Amino acid sequence: MTPQEIAALRAGLRKARAAVPREQRLAMSRQIEACLAGWDVFLRARTVLAYRPVGSEAGTDALAQCVLDAGKQLLLPRCLKKGWMEAVRVARLDGLCPDVYGIPAPPPNVPAARAEEIDLLLVPGVAFDERGGRLGQGGGCYDRFLPRCAGVITGVAFSMQVVERLPLRAHDVRMDALLTERGIMCFGGRAPLGL
């Protein structure tokens, strides 16, 4: 696909996701959180990277609080500049401030964790495919961050965001698993083996 076709695909999928009524998105997000909360990989994880949903993305707020309540270490992404992010430990979900993209993130004075320490990574995206491919927002933050991680990389999305096949480039990292309101799909790699 050309860059223009990829941009059109992103725009179309964002528009379709945003067209889903808010209450329906919230209900699907709760189903996603329930699936994840019972997943053995999540139960065994000690350190979990979640994300703060933006716009119509699948929500993970209740799950992030569940991570904290379970005594696990919660990390959130903090984008430093265009295309670069780090994972930062947080003890609470309040006190976040906008990063370079305007996404709520830990403040700049909180030190980053090492990417290799993360057991489970929950990754948002515009679309995912049935082979573990991911189409992100286009900023490249996760593309640069994920190759440094040893944990189970799990896409999080609504089932309407899953397509048959995405155009993947050499630097694109495949997901080990994909979580939607319909359940968890594992693609090989680290997910079936657990931690």
Side-chain angles (χ1 to χ4, degrees):
M1 290 183 111
T2 67
Q4 293 79 11
E5 290 170 325
I6 292 172
L9 177 62
R10 270 195 189 98
L13 288 166
R14 284 183 186 129
K15 185 176 180 181
R17 185 180 65 194
V20 175
R22 183 178 183 276
E23 288 304 315
Q24 186 178 346
R25 287 197 313 265
L26 290 173
M28 291 188 299
S29 293
R30 284 191 294 272
Q31 290 175 295
I32 289 170
E33 291 165 339
C35 287
L36 187 61
W39 189 27
D40 60 338
V41 173
F42 172 72
L43 295 172
R44 289 195 307 267
R46 297 171 307 281
T47 305
V48 179
L49 173 69
Y51 64 90
R52 302 300 292 178
V54 175
S56 60
E57 285 181 339
T60 57
D61 292 345
L63 177 69
Q65 190 59 54
C66 177
V67 170
L68 293 171
D69 293 345
K72 301 175 186 291
Q73 293 201 7
L74 174 67
L75 293 95
L76 292 175
R78 177 173 60 203
C79 294
L80 306 170
K81 58 183 179 178
K82 301 291 184 184
W84 292 95
M85 68 176 254
E86 57 189 4
V88 182
R89 284 185 181 82
V90 294
R92 302 183 341 228
L93 294 175
D94 59 352
L96 302 177
C97 58
D99 66 12
V100 297
Y101 291 105
I103 300 169
N109 62 332
V110 180
R114 290 185 16 244
E116 305 82 28
E117 298 173 5
I118 307 169
D119 296 320
L120 175 61
L121 299 93
L122 305 177
V123 180
V126 175
F128 295 88
D129 71 21
E130 298 169 350
R131 301 172 306 131
R134 172 183 174 269
L135 179 65
Q137 297 289 351
C141 290
Y142 281 94
D143 292 328
R144 289 179 180 87
F145 183 77
L146 294 177
R148 298 185 287 141
C149 300
V152 178
I153 301 171
T154 304
V156 180
F158 301 125
S159 58
M160 60 163 300
Q161 294 173 252
V162 181
V163 299
E164 185 177 335
R165 191 170 189 159
L166 288 170
L168 298 181
R169 296 159 295 184
H171 67 272
D172 290 330
V173 174
R174 288 189 186 276
M175 304 293 101
D176 298 312
L178 175 61
L179 175 63
T180 74
E181 75 280 5
R182 294 185 180 167
I184 301 168
M185 292 184 280
C186 294
F187 304 112
R190 297 162 281 206
L193 302 175
L195 298 171

